[in-house]
């Protein structure tokens, strides 16, 4: 899943849960926290799994529920203890929303769901040799652009526009959190 797709899923989850549980819209700090949470697993795993041999792949340690759940709970506990509980929850929502996206993303491309990484290191992960991170990202982008030229790619674009467009609509309806804080 691409970073903007993870962000869109995380923001929609935060917006819905904020309204259901708190009866309120997300704040600027919560929006920043959910954004960081949605990117956190990739910011840890991609450099360590693609560029080094410290992790077996770009979807392992920080993508594992064995790390994600306790780390999210710790962030919530520390945030709550410092009077920023809702911000901690926003990070946890973003982080935990990232994982299902990586499970179902292969299905959007016509493959089976990817599940093994959720219990790494208890489950086997296909190890990859270190590569140039920049080169690997360019290869992935080239594959993505090639996909977009296919009939399946056109369906993907429609789904992508609905997802990202829906997140933008939710953000606007929430009062564009972050923007008022930046002024």
């Amino acid at each position: 899943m691409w970073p903007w797709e993870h962000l869109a899923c995380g923001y929609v989850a935060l917006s819905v849960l904020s309204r259901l549980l708190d009866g309120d819209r997300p704040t600027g700090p919560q929006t920043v926290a959910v954004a960081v949470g949605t990117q956190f697993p990739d910011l840890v795993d991609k450099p360590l799994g693609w560029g080094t041999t410290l992790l077996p792949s770009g979807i392992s340690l920080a993508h594992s529920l064995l790390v994600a759940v306790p780390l999210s709970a710790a962030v919530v506990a520390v945030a709550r203890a410092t009077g920023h509980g809702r911000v901690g929850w926003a990070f946890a929502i973003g982080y935990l929303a990232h994982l299902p996206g990586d499970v179902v993303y292969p299905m959007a491309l016509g493959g089976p769901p990817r599940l093994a990484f959720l219990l790494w290191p208890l489950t086997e992960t296909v190890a990859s040799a270190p590569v140039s991170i920049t080169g690997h990202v360019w290869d992935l982008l080239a594959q993505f652009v090639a996909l977009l030229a296919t009939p399946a790619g056109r369906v993907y674009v429609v789904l992508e526009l609905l997802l990202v467009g829906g997140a933008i609509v939710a953000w606007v309806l929430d009062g564009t959190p972050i923007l008022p804080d930046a002024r």
Side-chain angles (χ1 to χ4, degrees), residues 110-163:
R114 190 179 339 171
L115 296 168
F117 69 85
L118 291 173
L119 293 177
W120 185 86
L122 301 178
T123 55
E124 194 171 316
T125 300
V126 178
S128 58
V131 296
S132 160
I133 295 172
T134 306
H136 191 60
V137 169
W138 281 113
D139 289 344
L140 291 172
L141 283 170
Q143 292 171 23
F144 182 65
V145 169
L147 168 72
L148 297 180
T150 67
R154 287 188 273 288
V155 171
Y156 182 89
V157 167
V158 169
L159 295 174
E160 171 105 352
L161 290 173
L162 289 171
L163 171 63

Side-chain angles (χ1 to χ4, degrees), residues 46-169:
K46 300 299 189 229
L48 297 177
W50 289 351
T52 73
T53 57
L54 293 174
L55 293 178
S57 74
I59 303 178
S60 51
L61 177 71
H63 284 77
S64 174
L65 289 170
L66 302 174
V67 171
V69 171
L71 183 58
S72 293
V75 167
V76 169
V78 169
R80 185 178 291 160
T82 59
H84 302 284
R86 291 181 70 198
V87 174
W89 276 109
F91 174 86
I93 289 166
Y95 188 173
L96 297 174
H98 181 108
L99 305 180
D102 284 345
V103 169
V104 301
Y105 183 74
M107 294 168 49
L109 303 177
R114 190 179 339 171
L115 296 168
F117 69 85
L118 291 173
L119 293 177
W120 185 86
L122 301 178
T123 55
E124 194 171 316
T125 300
V126 178
S128 58
V131 296
S132 160
I133 295 172
T134 306
H136 191 60
V137 169
W138 281 113
D139 289 344
L140 291 172
L141 283 170
Q143 292 171 23
F144 182 65
V145 169
L147 168 72
L148 297 180
T150 67
R154 287 188 273 288
V155 171
Y156 182 89
V157 167
V158 169
L159 295 174
E160 171 105 352
L161 290 173
L162 289 171
L163 171 63
V164 175
I168 291 170
V169 167

Side-chain angles (χ1 to χ4, degrees), residues 33-54:
V34 81
V36 171
T38 62
Q39 306 309 307
F40 181 78
D42 286 340
L43 292 172
V44 172
D45 287 354
K46 300 299 189 229
L48 297 177
W50 289 351
T52 73
T53 57
L54 293 174

Side-chain angles (χ1 to χ4, degrees), residues 18-35:
S18 290
R19 289 178 183 276
L20 287 177
L21 301 177
D22 295 332
D24 205 358
R25 300 177 289 185
T27 64
Q30 287 176 290
T31 302
V32 170
V34 81

